[in-house]
């Protein structure tokens, strides 16, 4: 029996997103974008500064209103991908004026139109998207793919873009951490945070040229910057809270060789000095600190601040271990300053990971 090769995709869906821009400059032309459960068919995405067009052919009839209500739908996912590429390519928070979805079938045409008042904008008009200029657009095309890694990066960049405008420093930081979390879970080869953190740290240390943004930033960080923007003693009390964790504290100090971390360790080692002595680690630790008083190791500092310390700050925020930020009556307090400082570095690590997505 011969298998029919007749194309059963008799419904063509055209999605047109009009954007508030006077320019029709072409950003991406007829990009072939796969969709779930399709091995050989693709949708087409064309992106201009004032318009996004998506053409998709399907065998089934899709409820046009449902496209916007079901965020797991393939067509809605294509809209999200296109908007992410648009904002990364333009770095401008232009607003969506309308979205028109049309279905062209054998016998009739159906359409659904959302006006500006019907749309909850993906990006605030007040967002500062300038940091997105650092994203390599060729690498970014991974988001158009299907698969676990591609989905992880897609989810990550939605949080990254949303983090560029938020009602509070806490929300900004939280969204950047979620962006980082989505990437390291996609590429880290493990479901545990610890294993994924270790993977990113090792990759950062072993592949220095792949992390130019964060390492350039870290190279300019001083000991005083760390003192002013962290709660290092609280961090030690939290992560190495008992005598049973003294071995871990020793290992933490010994695996970091940068002189700035050495100086911070010397300042704060007293809070666990008795534990180190009781476990017989004190002389080994102090010898390590003396040996690396002048060592410059930006990858060690980057990994420690952006992963180890930032994870501590994230846990303090997420686990409701402090007063809710809205009850802090002075707008610029130490905790907010810390989160802003950490956010400024974490975003660069995230973009380095985006630009190197093909390596993983």
């Amino acid at each position: 029996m011969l298998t029919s090769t007749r194309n059963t995709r008799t419904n063509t869906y055209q999605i047109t997103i009009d954007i508030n821009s006077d320019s029709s400059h072409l950003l991406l032309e007829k990009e072939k974008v796969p969709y779930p459960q399709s091995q050989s068919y693709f949708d087409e995405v064309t992106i201009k500064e004032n318009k996004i067009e998506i053409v998709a052919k399907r065998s089934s009839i899709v409820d046009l209103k449902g496209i916007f209500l079901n965020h797991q739908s393939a067509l809605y996912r294509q809209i999200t991908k296109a908007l992410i590429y648009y904002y990364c390519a333009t770095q401008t928070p232009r607003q969506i004026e309308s979205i028109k979805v049309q279905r062209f079938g054998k016998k009739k045409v159906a359409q659904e139109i959302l006006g500006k008042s019907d749309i909850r904008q993906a990006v605030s008009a007040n967002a500062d998207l300038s940091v997105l200029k650092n994203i390599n657009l060729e690498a970014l095309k991974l988001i158009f793919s299907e698969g676990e890694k591609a989905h992880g990066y897609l989810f990550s960049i939605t949080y990254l873009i949303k983090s560029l405008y938020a009602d509070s420093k806490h929300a900004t930081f939280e969204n950047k951490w979620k962006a980082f979390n989505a990437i390291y879970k996609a590429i880290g080869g493990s479901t545990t945070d610890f294993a994924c953190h270790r993977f990113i740290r090792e990759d950062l240390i072993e592949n220095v040229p792949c992390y130019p943004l964060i390492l350039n930033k870290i190279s300019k960080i001083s000991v005083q910057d760390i003192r002013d923007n962290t709660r290092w003693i609280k961090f030690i009390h939290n992560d190495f809270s008992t005598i049973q964790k003294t071995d871990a504290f020793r290992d933490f100090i010994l695996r970091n060789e940068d002189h700035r971390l050495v100086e911070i360790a010397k300042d704060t080692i007293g809070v666990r000095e008795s534990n180190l002595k009781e476990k017989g680690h004190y002389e080994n630790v102090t010898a390590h600190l003396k040996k690396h008083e002048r060592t410059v190791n930006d990858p060690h500092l980057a990994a420690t601040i952006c992963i180890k310390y930032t994870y501590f700050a994230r846990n303090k925020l997420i686990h409701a271990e402090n007063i809710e930020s809205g009850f802090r009556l002075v707008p610029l307090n130490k905790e907010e300053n810390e989160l802003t400082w950490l956010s400024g570095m974490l975003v660069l690590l995230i973009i380095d990971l985006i630009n190197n997505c093909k390596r993983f």
Side-chain angles (χ1 to χ4, degrees):
M1 179 182 295
L2 294 177
T3 302
S4 172
T5 58
R6 181 173 58 87
N7 188 352
T8 60
R9 299 184 306 153
T10 56
N11 296 286
T12 298
Y13 297 86
Q14 182 168 314
I15 301 171
T16 304
I17 303 172
D18 288 319
I19 299 174
N20 183 18
S21 173
D22 295 329
S23 172
S24 59
H25 174 67
L26 183 65
L27 302 172
L28 189 70
E29 184 173 19
K30 293 185 177 180
E31 182 75 15
K32 301 293 185 183
V33 181
Y35 56 92
Q37 287 81 52
S38 174
Q39 298 296 322
S40 57
Y41 296 120
F42 298 87
D43 297 336
E44 280 188 356
V45 176
T46 296
I47 302 176
K48 300 178 181 179
E49 288 198 33
N50 64 345
K51 192 183 298 289
I52 295 172
E53 293 182 331
I54 302 169
V55 177
K57 294 185 178 182
R58 300 287 190 272
S59 58
S60 60
I61 294 177
V62 177
D63 174 24
L64 301 187
K65 288 184 178 181
I67 291 172
F68 302 100
L69 301 177
N70 178 11
H71 294 176
Q72 301 302 318
S73 74
L75 290 174
Y76 187 86
R77 185 68 61 86
Q78 305 298 49
I79 293 172
T80 303
K81 293 174 181 180
L83 286 171
I84 287 173
Y85 190 93
Y86 179 88
Y87 288 118
C88 289
T90 64
Q91 303 105 50
T92 305
R94 297 190 182 100
Q95 301 296 279
I96 299 170
E97 294 293 327
S98 67
I99 303 176
K100 179 168 66 175
V101 183
Q102 296 172 290
R103 182 180 68 242
F104 301 91
K106 286 183 176 180
K107 297 182 179 180
K108 63 179 181 179
V109 176
Q111 71 175 24
E112 184 74 22
I113 299 176
L114 297 182
K116 190 171 184 178
S117 62
D118 303 314
I119 298 167
R120 185 172 67 179
Q121 298 291 331
V123 173
S124 167
N126 298 317
D128 179 3
L129 305 184
S130 58
V131 73
L132 300 179
K133 70 180 183 293
N134 295 300
I135 292 180
N136 182 302
L137 294 180
E138 280 302 311
L140 181 65
K141 288 182 181 179
L142 173 68
I143 66 170
F144 292 130
S145 304
E146 287 296 319
E148 186 175 341
K149 185 175 84 167
H151 290 167
Y153 274 90
L154 173 66
F155 302 157
S156 170
I157 300 171
T158 63
Y159 284 108
L160 173 62
I161 292 174
K162 293 300 287 187
S163 79
L164 301 178
Y165 181 80
D167 293 336
S168 72
K169 302 292 192 301
H170 294 72
T172 295
F173 172 79
E174 183 177 347
N175 276 332
K176 283 194 176 70
W177 181 267
K178 287 178 179 178
F180 181 47
N181 184 289
I183 289 179
Y184 71 62
K185 284 293 178 66
I187 65 177
S190 175
T191 59
T192 69
D193 288 329
F194 176 79
C196 292
H197 294 174
R198 184 170 58 188
F199 172 84
I200 299 295
R201 176 186 172 90
E202 290 174 354
D203 193 72
L204 197 163
I205 292 169
E206 294 171 4
N207 297 282
V208 169
C210 297
Y211 294 88
L213 298 175
I214 184 55
L215 293 180
N216 179 61
K217 177 73 171 180
I218 283 291
S219 70
K220 300 176 176 66
I221 297 297
S222 68
V223 173
Q224 194 58 48
D225 290 330
I226 300 171
R227 289 186 181 125
D228 291 344
N229 291 286
T230 63
R231 298 164 288 165
W232 209 264
I233 290 178
K234 189 169 185 176
F235 160 63
I236 293 172
H237 280 305
N238 182 85
D239 280 32
F240 312 104
S241 55
T242 63
I243 186 70
Q244 288 76 22
K245 293 186 178 182
T246 303
D247 289 354
F249 183 51
R250 172 205 59 193
D251 294 342
F252 168 69
I253 293 177
L254 295 182
R255 68 173 166 262
N256 288 300
E257 298 176 355
D258 185 79
H259 69 98
R260 290 156 292 187
L261 290 173
V262 165
E263 192 65 30
I264 295 296
K266 287 181 177 179
D267 290 345
T268 57
I269 197 172
V271 300
R272 288 292 178 262
E273 181 175 337
S274 61
N275 288 357
L276 289 170
K277 288 181 175 177
E278 182 177 338
K279 298 280 281 186
H281 300 323
Y282 186 74
E283 290 185 3
N284 192 18
V285 166
T286 54
H288 172 85
L289 296 178
K290 184 172 181 59
K291 178 182 178 180
H292 293 289
E293 287 177 343
R294 299 181 183 276
T295 302
V296 177
N297 194 315
D298 292 330
H300 281 188
L301 181 59
T304 299
I305 295 294
C306 294
I307 304 173
K308 182 73 171 175
Y309 185 86
T310 301
Y311 188 57
F312 152 76
R314 173 264 181 195
N315 287 341
K316 290 297 173 185
L317 176 65
I318 299 300
H319 295 162
E321 296 182 20
N322 290 306
I323 295 170
E324 206 282 331
S325 61
F327 281 86
R328 295 180 181 272
L329 303 181
V330 178
L332 293 178
N333 54 68
K334 184 173 177 61
E335 184 181 331
E336 288 197 353
N337 288 340
E338 176 188 69
L339 296 181
T340 299
W341 187 72
L342 294 173
S343 290
M345 286 183 286
L346 187 56
V347 68
L348 299 178
L349 176 57
I350 292 166
I351 294 176
D352 278 332
L353 289 167
I354 293 170
N355 291 341
N356 284 277
C357 61
K358 293 181 181 179
R359 289 182 48 245
F360 302 108

